[in-house]
Amino acid sequence: MVKTYTPKKIDHNKDYGTPAPRSSASGSSVAGESKVQVTLDIDGTKITVAEGTSVLRAAALAGITIPKLCASDNLEAFGSCRLCTVQIEGKRGFPASCTTPVEQGMQVVTQTEPLAKLRRNVMELYISDHPLDCLTCPANGDCELQDVAGAVGLREVRYGFEGENHLDAEKDTSNPYFTFDASKCIVCSRCVRACDEVQGTFALTVDGRGFGSKIVAGQDNGFLASDCVSCGACVQACPTSTLMENTVIEMGQPERSVITTCAYCGVGCSFKADMKGDKVVRMVPYKGGEANQGHSCVKGRFAFGYATHKDRIVDPMIRDSIDQPWRKVSWEDAISFAAERLQATQEKHGQQSIGGITSSRCTNEETYLVQKMIRTAFGNNNTDTCARVCHSPTGYGLKTTMGESAGTQTFDSVKHADCILLIGANPTDAHPVFASQMRRRLREGAKLIVADPRQIDLLKTPHLKDAIHLPLLPGTNVALINAIAHTIITENLQDQTFINERCDEKALEKWLEFIQLPENSADSMASITGVSAETIREAARLYAGVANGAIYYGLGVTEHSQGSTMVMGIANLAMATGNIGREGVGVNPLRGQNNVQGACDMGSFPHELPGYQHVANDELRGKFEQTWGVEIDNEPGLRIPNMFDAAVSGTFKGLYVQGEDIAQSDPNTHHVEKALSALDCLIVQDIFLNETAKYAHVLLPGSTFLEKDGTFTNAERRINRVRKVMSPLGELADWEVTMALSNALGYPMDYNHPSEIMDEIASLVPTFAGVSYERLDELGSIQWPCNEQYPDGTPTMHVEDFPIGKGNFAVTPYLASEEKSTRRFPLLLTTGRILSQYNVGAQTRRTENQTWHDEDCLEIHPSDAELRGISQGDWLGISSRAGHTVLRADIKERMQPGVVYTTFHHPISGANVVTTDNSDWATNCPEYKVTAVQVEKVSQPSKWQESFKSFDKQQVSLLEQGR
Amino acid sequence: MENDIKNKLPSHDLVDQSAELEHLIHMANQIADNNLHQGEEEVAIANTVKHIKNFWALSMKKQIIQYQHHDGEQLNQTASQAVIELNETYPMTF
């Protein structure tokens, strides 16, 4: 009897040998499986698959295993190992099934005596130059070479092991996270192809020919010294133990896996936490994760050691004042101490005198609980989150123009983009997994426009075809976007049909009148932006001229005095060109932290309840009042910078901070320190003694993403499950701590599991109405809105209309920043991230990622350096009107003259001692990206750095006394 | 309503609020400036009032109203007018 098999569901733990086929239609529709179906016969089983599928994949889909070594379903077929050969009726010889596409009516046989002999012979040759140390090999139990040797029935190696071989090849242990053991290498080139095709770095190559072939990193200078970015794709691709995680070498093979979500950047990669008992052996990117599709970066893949670092705070601690040693106390005592202090503060200074900061690193459920506690138990709306200092202008700008405070696409959408317009973002460092996806699309021929003061690495993408760099001066974003829009309108490049059908006529008229003003022309804006008028026009024509133009942006857009204006300018541009409402287009904010989107969605802002529902709206507020059983203040509360101001004024006296390091991450450190020192009660809940905790009176142990259940929402509005793999080191998960504090303050909370919190969220937030843990388990992940109208979520927003009906063009006048270069401060400082470190560095500084970046430096153009007599590595004093700090010089051609740059991952750097209190006009998002500075050679650290060191020493000692 | 507002506010006695007030003035001016090009002055004023109503805490509103009443010199024309209108929604005795 002939069996018929139609594959339905993909098992993401299985390797299907070659990727699912993508239709080869020209133009923008490159991605997507062909709709043409083909039926063939493999070993007597009839199987129907999409046209373009390989025989190897078709067999795997039907549950038929064909041995293979050089093939993997995340790499294009290569056809070199000759193990996946099959016999096909009517075809000569033994074709490789990985490179043979299916044909209608094809008859394939995968197991015959000649095939078995051929495969054994191939394996015999491989094994003749491979160590026979399987029992002591780290890959024992997870080795494809071993499995295939077993499958083909290899029983002898007739060639012996004498003669020339590679068995003594040296190990490369330069990378802190993995070892390259060349003696185990079969030169299948999967690592090389993974580096090229998956990661897009092209750091590896096969050097030499024939027997002399070997894998080398860079110019054969070892992995660490090469261009390798430690994404781990090669390690994952390796079918032997040649490339192996050091943790597996040390601990052995894991025994179970839990699928969870990375807690670093806003890409939100899904990982399999490979466990041994309650120890994480390794983190492996999960192929079923929609955001990352089996890829990872050095942070998510390897930098998880901080979770068990000796510096972890595991006991609750209290003290009366910050010059006293910490006292270890029970959870009950710590919570009642905190509650009493907060209550006493409110009694003395009023109900509005305390507030809290929710964490964009914690889960949605935890963030929701913190803001709920503030609005109920504190009885005010003084809640804010770190999105204040990163993407608050995104919320404001996108809500004003398109009616929803979120990006419009999936990450996958980039596969359909013909032109990528990237503004103020550096994805290869800050969103590396998505950058790899972008690079793949660029290699396929998509055009690239980068608006950034620096020559960022994406512009150096190998095999990049056309790219335009708009090296604008910091602070001139709005001038640039207006000039681009002006060009599009005056040259009649707009999408009139989209504008007519989808946008508000009155707003459009106003905008058209404004944008066509001569002051907005490329010629007028050229001298302001520093970009030539012709280059601006070229970029405008390119973006407007392609079928699908997609805009991606980061904090280089938002962290400006006109951050919100720029976001609106971006939305205007997308609407004017009709680049909204389908795949391949859109407005895509790249979120900084893992759960920035979620923290905003969950009502962390002082003016909005969960789901962006304004506190002043009686109907919306009434819904929450009914469910929460209390009256909610109908006035907005204080935002983070307003809290600092009020603290310095003496009217704001108590603060609860969950998983956020405002002392390091917020601008104008002097002001922040003054504010924190003025508090009567500072409660910090964190995994480490961070900079903020040094000013605290209560220190509550936080839990890492490995220690709790919950959800994160990434930059594509994708809600992903976080699953507990080990118990909280401090006994309680963060949501349990907030619950205890709320109960002690007299507002009862009683949840048994975060899923109950999500159910409450779903009942109050219309865009989350269909979200539950059950649905998340069923679907894997859900992109909100998810409700009756969109039961499976919404991958692409604004397909038919906007939540506000018609799109709203906003008038976006350019107003120069008050931070201008002057004679006293002639340079403009801008700040950003580096690949190996994350934000304030509290996590990554406690991992081997320090290998790549153990200090922040000041990048400066050679001409600015020469003018000041600066050499590489010199100590430089950097002064602004806010403060002074000292960093080492890093002379870089990628800077433009007049602009300097630094990262802010190390507290001692004091990057934010220099940044000012200027902020976005609409949201108070700090203007981190523009600070006028002077730079000069110095011989000693700054005064602030000296006082930081002694304060740090004192506080660490006070902690040690309490431990 | 006046009493309501007073009760909700933290005490402002004997503290140095100069830095805070300076920021509030700067913020109000910035909001007004960024709304000026939206059309006529009245629209800019209305937008500024709306913005402050929607995004500022009551304590901030009260401080800027007080400042406008007692001095107001550093507020630009649009911001100043907006604060006067704001005062209509948040009446206060001085």
Side-chain angles (χ1 to χ4, degrees), chain A residues 642 645-646 649 651, chain B residues 17-25 60 63:
Chain A
N642 313 141
D645 280 345
S649 290
T651 55
Chain B
Q17 292 180 270
S18 56
E20 185 177 14
L21 184 59
E22 203 180 299
H23 282 154
L24 294 176
I25 296 164
M60 295 157 65
Q63 284 179 75

Side-chain angles (χ1 to χ4, degrees), chain A residues 183-200:
Chain A
S183 72
K184 303 276 171 77
C185 182
I186 58 168
V187 203
C188 65
S189 82
R190 267 162 72 165
C191 55
V192 177
R193 287 176 287 134
C195 192
D196 298 355
E197 294 173 27
V198 179
Q199 166 56 28

Side-chain angles (χ1 to χ4, degrees), chain A residues 48 66 139 174 221 228 255 302 325 327 422 548 554 582 792 960:
Chain A
T48 304
I66 300 173
S174 61
N221 46 352
C228 166
E255 60 201 22
F302 295 118
R327 278 181 286 137
L422 183 75
N548 287 338
R582 60 179 186 279
D792 292 342
E960 289 310 320

Side-chain angles (χ1 to χ4, degrees), chain A residues 102-325:
Chain A
V102 294
E103 287 169 23
Q104 183 64 35
M106 196 180 237
Q107 304 271 335
V108 182
V109 190
T110 71
Q111 301 290 350
T112 63
E113 190 42 45
L115 280 171
K117 200 173 162 193
L118 194 63
R119 288 176 187 152
R120 266 196 298 273
N121 284 342
V122 171
M123 278 309 289
E124 199 177 350
L125 284 164
Y126 275 125
I127 300 304
S128 70
D129 191 9
H130 191 84
L132 295 180
D133 61 350
C134 292
L135 285 181
T136 53
C137 177
N140 190 7
D142 182 25
C143 176
E144 292 181 40
L145 188 69
Q146 197 179 37
D147 294 347
V148 174
V152 303
L154 182 69
R155 297 290 171 260
E156 59 171 343
V157 177
R158 289 166 294 169
Y159 311 106
F161 294 92
E162 301 303 317
E164 216 178 330
N165 59 49
H166 299 86
L167 301 179
D168 295 326
E170 260 180 56
K171 282 184 189 171
D172 174 356
T173 55
S174 61
N175 188 293
Y177 291 121
F178 59 84
T179 297
F180 175 66
D181 181 353
S183 72
K184 303 276 171 77
C185 182
I186 58 168
V187 203
C188 65
S189 82
R190 267 162 72 165
C191 55
V192 177
R193 287 176 287 134
C195 192
D196 298 355
E197 294 173 27
V198 179
Q199 166 56 28
T201 296
F202 293 74
L204 306 180
T205 191
V206 181
D207 191 30
R209 288 175 177 198
F211 180 79
S213 304
K214 59 172 186 171
I215 305 294
V216 300
Q219 307 292 315
D220 205 2
N221 46 352
F223 272 81
L224 193 64
S226 75
D227 286 341
C228 166
V229 290
S230 284
C231 68
C234 57
V235 180
Q236 204 180 336
C238 182
T240 71
S241 73
T242 309
L243 281 156
M244 182 59 80
E245 295 93 347
N246 289 344
T247 49
V248 175
I249 296 174
E250 285 153 20
M251 298 167 75
Q253 291 294 329
E255 60 201 22
R256 67 188 172 99
S257 276
V258 181
I259 295 162
T260 191
T261 306
C262 178
Y264 281 116
C265 78
V267 176
C269 296
S270 295
F271 275 89
K272 287 199 292 182
D274 280 355
M275 306 293 298
K276 214 179 180 61
D278 66 349
K279 303 270 182 304
V280 181
V281 177
R282 64 177 168 192
M283 298 290 283
V284 182
Y286 176 53
K287 275 198 291 183
E290 301 271 358
N292 57 318
Q293 301 175 8
H295 190 38
S296 60
C297 80
V298 61
K299 294 190 282 282
R301 178 78 154 95
F302 295 118
F304 54 87
Y306 71 86
T308 47
H309 193 274
K310 63 175 176 49
D311 289 352
R312 278 289 300 272
I313 302 291
V314 295
D315 299 299
M317 283 184 269
I318 57 171
R319 59 182 176 180
D320 288 317
S321 63
I322 69 164
D323 54 1
Q324 289 181 358

